Amino acid sequence: PKSSSSPAQVRFSPAEKEEAEEDRKGGHALRSAPHGGGGCCDDDDTQPDPSMSCSSTTRRWYHGLVIMAFAICLFKPEMVIFGVAYGALTAWAPNYKWVVIGWVFASAIYVMTYRGRPAATGERTWPLFQRVSQLVFDNVFVPYFELEIIRGTPEPFEVGGDHKYIFGYHPHGIIPIACQWTSLTSKWSEKFPGLQPAVLVSTIVHNVPIMRDVAQWNGSFEVTRHGFLSALRSRGSVLLVPGGQEEMIGSRSDSHDVPIVTSHRGFIRLALMSGAKLVPVYAFGETQTFDNVSVPASWQRWCVKTFRANLICYPYGVAPMLPRPHRFTLAVGRPISVPRLQREPSEEQLAYFHHKYFTALRALFNRYKQRAGRGRDKLVFTPALSQPPPPFPRGFSAPPDLFGTKGDRKQEEGDDSGKPTIAKGNQHNHQKEASTGSVDEGKNSHQEEEKRGQGHHRNGKESKIKKKPSSAPKLNEFLLIMLMCAGIFGSALQLKLLGW
């Protein structure tokens, strides 16, 4: 018999134990939720998670506001232009004529920054601005997104000399925000010392005020053929989004299907012509930061086709233009060596290395998706990769590891260390030569072309040599941007005249 002083032993059924465990876990999740109930500032009897505090929550909101300002400047500069115009009109009211004169004078001076085509030459790169940006990215962006960078090779990439790299960033998402800043962080410098790729963005970005200033001061180039080759020659490496804005249309944060557009081959063509290595990059968490307003996909495709930009883009996360603080894991794959051709690559050669690149991207994704916490995600290639893979193109000497079972296994694992070389005495193309093309990215603007060597023959006739790119942006795009700025200022002026 038990003594009266001993506590009674309470027995629970398995169902009661399971229910109690669920209640305990649910209460812990509620207390530790950063935006839910039971937070650090709620007046209840539950003790908050020690890892959460009012100061950390406030700090995260401050970080979010800084990131929101960055996103607005880089992707919605018309809001900044309107704010500046409205503020100037308010400060100088009712002497609006002096504001108008000052606006016209400032615009005339600003137009001079378009001379010399800085988008293709990089002459507006500002090292001091880059250092300030790195401080902001390290202290604000990295902790907000909990950035982790994974290098797919045990040793850093070789730099200098003939070592050049083309980093392909996937996926585009609504806004490829990590593409703009991850390569300017200290974490990137630790993983890739001496390697600072130039970010290639759409030409429309390099035409819109404020947007172009932030991009160009940080060393960005336009994603055209001329800008691509100029950046590769001066910086040794480039980073671009091959999928373009077509991937934006199908991106959703609540979907595990990640759209990857595979129809663009311009970066493969330029890799073969320059001998630069192809490096697949996948950003886990990119599609979870933003969503776009719900509009018909056909409208968005029409904007991309007509204006080379999706104008129906109003991103939102926690709030409009404020991304969700989702963890970012940037996986950088093993470089894929390609030969350097002296002539335009054939369709056979393009197809082979195009398939090889996206196969390596899929292997990179499957290798690290569990580590990044995205185990249920899957890539949806559009169009799908050809099956079986295209054969190794003729005209190259084949390294042993590219054929047979061993070679197939290495290709699937992303091990692309073997470097094809041009076979002696057989350097001509065995298929019909493709005409000199430009970077065919979906976000690519006016397509400039430079002729290499003598004119190519097609159907027995010599093709015409293309003119060199002009030293100024296209007239229609330039006028469109200037009219947009004038219209924004006019709208602000009209509101002030109405007494608002």
Side-chain angles (χ1 to χ4, degrees):
K2 297 181 179 179
S3 63
S4 59
S5 60
S6 61
Q9 300 293 327
V10 180
R11 297 181 179 275
F12 295 96
S13 64
E16 291 174 334
K17 289 182 178 180
E18 183 177 355
E19 183 178 356
E21 181 68 16
E22 291 180 355
D23 290 342
R24 184 186 68 81
K25 291 181 179 179
H28 175 73
L30 181 65
R31 290 190 297 271
S32 61
H35 301 294
C40 60
C41 299
D42 290 342
D43 296 326
D44 57 7
D45 296 332
T46 60
Q47 295 295 327
D49 188 354
S51 63
M52 290 298 300
S53 63
C54 290
S55 60
S56 62
T57 303
T58 304
R59 189 183 307 113
R60 170 158 287 190
W61 275 105
Y62 285 153
H63 290 175
L65 292 177
V66 173
I67 296 172
M68 182 179 182
F70 174 81
I72 291 175
C73 290
L74 202 57
F75 300 103
K76 289 296 177 183
E78 62 272 15
M79 299 173 63
V80 181
I81 297 173
F82 179 83
V84 171
Y86 191 86
L89 291 168
T90 302
W92 288 83
N95 299 318
Y96 297 142
K97 64 178 181 180
W98 296 110
V99 180
V100 174
I101 294 173
W103 188 273
V104 173
F105 182 73
S107 299
I109 296 177
Y110 185 80
V111 166
M112 302 300 292
T113 63
Y114 287 86
R115 293 176 61 87
R117 197 59 179 279
T121 61
E123 63 184 23
R124 293 191 73 207
T125 300
W126 191 358
L128 177 60
F129 188 83
Q130 288 180 317
R131 287 195 290 270
V132 174
S133 297
Q134 183 175 354
L135 289 176
V136 175
F137 296 152
D138 285 340
N139 294 283
V140 176
F141 285 65
V142 169
Y144 186 85
F145 292 107
E146 302 177 18
L147 175 66
E148 178 188 10
I149 298 180
I150 304 173
R151 190 182 60 221
T153 58
E155 299 295 333
F157 292 3
E158 296 180 281
V159 297
D162 295 332
H163 299 288
K164 299 182 183 299
Y165 301 93
I166 298 175
F167 294 88
Y169 182 94
H170 306 268
H172 184 285
I174 301 301
I175 294 179
I177 187 169
C179 174
Q180 305 292 329
W181 60 270
T182 48
S183 60
L184 291 173
T185 61
S186 298
K187 287 195 171 187
W188 177 276
S189 301
E190 293 171 0
K191 293 289 184 179
F192 306 96
L195 193 61
Q196 185 68 59
V199 180
L200 305 181
V201 295
S202 175
T203 306
I204 193 172
V205 174
H206 290 276
N207 282 336
V208 181
I210 299 177
M211 181 188 293
R212 67 186 291 266
D213 298 323
V214 174
Q216 292 177 4
W217 290 343
N218 274 327
S220 177
F221 287 69
E222 63 181 0
V223 63
T224 59
R225 183 188 186 93
H226 183 55
F228 194 116
L229 295 177
S230 178
L232 198 60
R233 181 170 52 253
S234 60
R235 302 284 290 275
S237 60
V238 297
L239 189 151
L240 74 157
V241 186
Q245 297 193 36
E246 294 178 26
E247 290 181 358
M248 177 197 301
I249 300 174
S251 178
R252 293 170 53 108
S253 64
D254 58 353
S255 175
H256 293 286
D257 294 337
V258 182
I260 301 293
V261 175
T262 63
S263 58
H264 305 136
R265 299 187 180 188
F267 70 107
I268 304 291
R269 182 191 308 275
L270 293 179
L272 287 168
M273 296 176 64
S274 63
K277 298 179 181 179
L278 294 165
V279 184
V281 179
Y282 191 87
F284 294 95
E286 180 66 76
T287 57
Q288 277 67 52
T289 56
F290 281 114
D291 282 299
N292 194 15
V293 292
S294 180
V295 292
S298 59
W299 296 7
Q300 300 182 60
R301 291 191 178 94
W302 179 83
C303 285
V304 172
K305 182 178 180 181
T306 305
F307 303 105
R308 295 184 289 276
N310 188 1
L311 302 182
I312 314 177
C313 181
Y314 299 95
Y316 66 90
V318 178
M321 299 304 296
L322 177 59
R324 303 181 184 93
H326 197 279
R327 182 173 63 137
F328 263 88
T329 301
L330 193 72
V332 182
R334 184 185 301 271
I336 303 173
S337 298
V338 299
R340 182 174 183 177
L341 305 180
Q342 300 300 324
R343 304 176 64 184
E344 282 285 331
S346 65
E347 288 299 322
E348 181 183 29
Q349 294 162 347
L350 285 174
Y352 175 80
F353 287 102
H354 175 269
H355 191 281
K356 187 178 183 67
Y357 172 84
F358 282 101
T359 299
L361 174 65
R362 177 185 290 161
L364 178 72
F365 172 81
N366 291 332
R367 181 179 180 182
Y368 293 112
K369 67 178 183 179
Q370 295 292 343
R371 176 174 171 176
R374 305 300 304 175
R376 297 175 60 187
D377 288 359
K378 63 178 181 179
L379 302 183
V380 180
F381 288 162
T382 306
L385 298 182
S386 59
Q387 294 296 336
F392 189 81
R394 295 171 292 176
F396 298 116
S397 60
D401 61 340
L402 289 179
F403 293 96
T405 306
K406 179 180 177 181
D408 292 339
R409 185 181 71 253
K410 283 193 174 185
Q411 182 175 339
E412 290 297 328
E413 295 173 353
D415 186 356
D416 304 295
S417 58
K419 184 173 182 178
T421 57
I422 301 178
K424 294 182 178 180
N426 193 19
Q427 296 182 359
H428 63 280
N429 293 322
H430 292 267
Q431 289 193 354
K432 181 180 178 180
E433 289 291 339
S435 60
T436 304
S438 62
V439 182
D440 54 352
E441 310 303 332
K443 60 179 181 180
N444 199 15
S445 68
H446 49 90
Q447 302 177 342
E448 302 133 349
E449 302 182 354
E450 294 182 69
K451 209 63 177 177
R452 297 171 60 92
Q454 301 297 326
H456 293 285
H457 291 270
R458 180 170 50 186
N459 296 331
K461 296 182 179 180
E462 186 177 357
S463 60
K464 296 182 180 179
I465 298 179
K466 305 296 181 180
K467 294 182 180 180
K468 292 183 178 181
S470 60
S471 59
K474 273 192 173 181
L475 185 62
N476 58 348
E477 289 185 354
F478 183 74
L479 289 179
L480 178 65
I481 299 303
M482 292 299 104
L483 288 175
M484 181 197 74
C485 295
I488 294 174
F489 181 82
S491 300
L493 178 60
Q494 186 65 31
L495 288 177
K496 295 301 297 181
L497 293 175
L498 292 175
W500 288 22

